[in-house]
Amino acid sequence: MSTVDNPEKVVIFGTGPAGLTAAIYCARADMEPLVYEGLQPGGQLTITTDVDNYPGFPDGVMGPELMEMFKGQATRFGTRFSFEAVESVDLDSWPYHYKAGGEEGWAQTIIIASGASAKYLGLENEIRLQGFGVSACATCDGFFYKDQVVAVVGGGDSAAEEATFLTKFASKVYLLVRRGEMRASKIMQHRVENNEKVEVLWNTEVLDVLGEDAVTGIRIVNNKTNEEQDLELTGFFLAIGHTPNSSAFTKWLETDETGYIITQADSTATDFPGVFACGDVQDHVYRQAITAAGSGCMSALEAERWLEEKQHS
Ligand code: NDP
């Protein structure tokens, strides 16, 4: 266990592609990383099935299997893991203090890779059928819906973009908007409206996701007329936003108005020396496993350099 006089060289919060890539690089740089797995070990890929867009896997790979491989690679170089999730950090003095579950410790550098969580409607069957027709990532899973009917929930830029993206594969895309207008930018809305494969259903809410082992349809209601209807479809995509898992850090680190940690330009450095943020907790634009892994690598290299400079200063 670390102490204030014997702090860890680096502590990493999160075990998605960002955190585990940071761990691989830190471990290979002899930084002996200690990684806290967090509330969803393996991150968002553990709730997807096939991953076809991660380079190096020409036949695709299952999301949970890919994350096991990441973890195995980090372990091979001596990464240590704790099952706990970070609760708080104290960046008032260096080395930095943190609490995670029942543990506490001190660290010279911190890499925050706690990710973001897609928002779900909270319906029981929606949660049960995650990975079996229910997805919160059209870019990841759209390809599996060739010539099938799908629906996207949401009225923002993500929903508009994902609905448009899905028309590359699906025969028809319902876009379910809970109000009479969309919040998406005009240009994105026009793209949706001009796409003959998209049918926008206004004032529409989802009551249930239907299907035993896989999605076969959804039950919707028009919240103006109270008219209920079942739609037959095989893909149900959520695009109602993501929540960055940054609450343990917001007391100290600057975030945008939606809670994403702000990092310096072309860097993963935060405003606190030796504290870095990578992956989805600081990226609401790309949100891909490969970009998260890339920024995890950046954090590790930056943490290593920062420690070296600190030792020589
Ligand atoms: P937003 O928060 O912008 O939009 C969320 C949408 O989901 C809203 O339309 C909201 O409805 C709807 N919604 C929320 N909860 C529910 C619910 N329970 N049931 C039904 N609908 C619900 O999130 P986005 O992910 O779309 O965008 C996040 C940020 O990323 C934005 O700043 C956006 O501009 C940006 N972005 C930019 C892109 C681009 O420029 N290419 C692409 C994607 C995102 P309501 O409007 O009624 O609140």
Side-chain angles (χ1 to χ4, degrees):
M1 221 34 221
S2 61
T3 63
V4 67
D5 298 320
N6 186 24
E8 297 286 347
K9 286 183 193 152
V10 60
V11 162
I12 299 170
F13 297 122
T15 43
L20 289 176
T21 302
I24 292 167
Y25 274 77
C26 287
R28 294 191 78 242
D30 283 338
M31 292 166 77
E32 302 162 331
L34 172 60
V35 179
Y36 285 87
E37 299 219 28
L39 295 177
Q40 189 177 47
Q44 293 181 66
L45 280 190
T46 58
I47 54 163
T48 63
T49 46
D50 306 73
V51 177
D52 266 353
N53 55 6
Y54 200 86
F57 296 90
D59 300 321
V61 59
M62 298 297 276
E65 193 189 337
L66 179 61
M67 295 324 297
E68 274 305 310
M69 287 191 247
F70 269 67
K71 190 174 179 186
Q73 197 169 348
T75 306
R76 184 174 139 220
F77 298 110
T79 301
R80 292 160 299 141
F81 289 91
S82 162
F83 287 117
E84 303 295 351
V86 60
E87 276 160 13
S88 64
V89 292
D90 183 349
L91 307 182
D92 204 25
S93 57
W94 187 87
Y96 300 123
H97 181 248
Y98 64 87
K99 286 186 182 160
E103 299 180 9
E104 66 170 344
W106 282 264
Q108 299 180 55
T109 63
I110 290 176
I111 295 179
I112 301 165
S114 45
S117 304
K119 289 184 192 163
Y120 286 82
L121 297 172
L123 303 168
E124 201 179 317
N125 287 330
E126 170 203 37
I127 307 299
R128 184 175 60 80
L129 291 168
Q130 266 177 26
F132 299 94
V134 174
S135 167
C137 181
T139 320
C140 320
D141 298 329
F143 183 77
F144 303 112
Y145 295 89
K146 263 194 180 137
D147 301 324
Q148 298 177 45
V149 179
V150 302
V152 177
V153 189
D157 281 330
S158 293
E161 191 172 74
E162 305 225 327
T164 307
F165 176 79
L166 284 165
T167 60
K168 291 183 184 187
F169 315 102
S171 54
K172 179 177 179 99
V173 179
Y174 291 105
L175 180 56
L176 313 176
V177 182
R178 68 177 171 183
R179 290 186 292 134
E181 59 179 346
M182 290 178 77
R183 134 195 332 247
S185 55
K186 287 282 171 265
I187 184 164
M188 304 286 268
Q189 289 192 42
H190 287 151
R191 233 172 260 170
V192 165
E193 283 158 10
N194 293 331
N195 193 317
E196 58 186 20
K197 279 192 181 178
V198 180
E199 183 180 346
V200 182
L201 301 182
W202 302 103
N203 302 109
T204 299
E205 292 177 36
V206 179
L207 297 177
D208 203 359
V209 181
L210 312 173
E212 280 304 314
D213 303 322
V215 172
T216 56
I218 53 172
R219 181 156 303 148
I220 56 172
V221 62
N222 182 305
N223 57 27
K224 287 252 168 192
T225 63
N226 288 332
E227 193 186 324
E228 290 186 20
Q229 187 189 346
D230 286 356
L231 297 178
E232 268 185 42
L233 44 79
T234 50
F236 179 62
F237 289 85
L238 283 304
I240 59 173
H242 283 74
T243 310
N245 301 319
S246 61
S247 58
F249 314 102
T250 48
K251 179 176 173 196
W252 304 95
L253 301 180
E254 200 189 342
T255 62
D256 70 10
E257 65 285 357
T258 48
Y260 287 89
I261 293 174
I262 292 174
T263 50
Q264 291 165 21
D266 301 324
S267 162
T268 64
T270 68
D271 288 342
F272 277 82
V275 180
F276 304 89
C278 52
D280 285 13
V281 74
Q282 56 87 52
D283 167 27
H284 66 85
V285 180
Y286 300 106
R287 300 196 304 233
Q288 299 300 299
I290 186 70
T291 48
S295 69
C297 164
M298 287 168 67
S299 280
L301 296 177
E302 289 177 282
E304 185 190 357
R305 274 181 213 144
W306 188 86
L307 266 186
E308 251 170 42
E309 277 167 26
K310 180 97 182 157
Q311 275 153 15
H312 293 111
S313 64

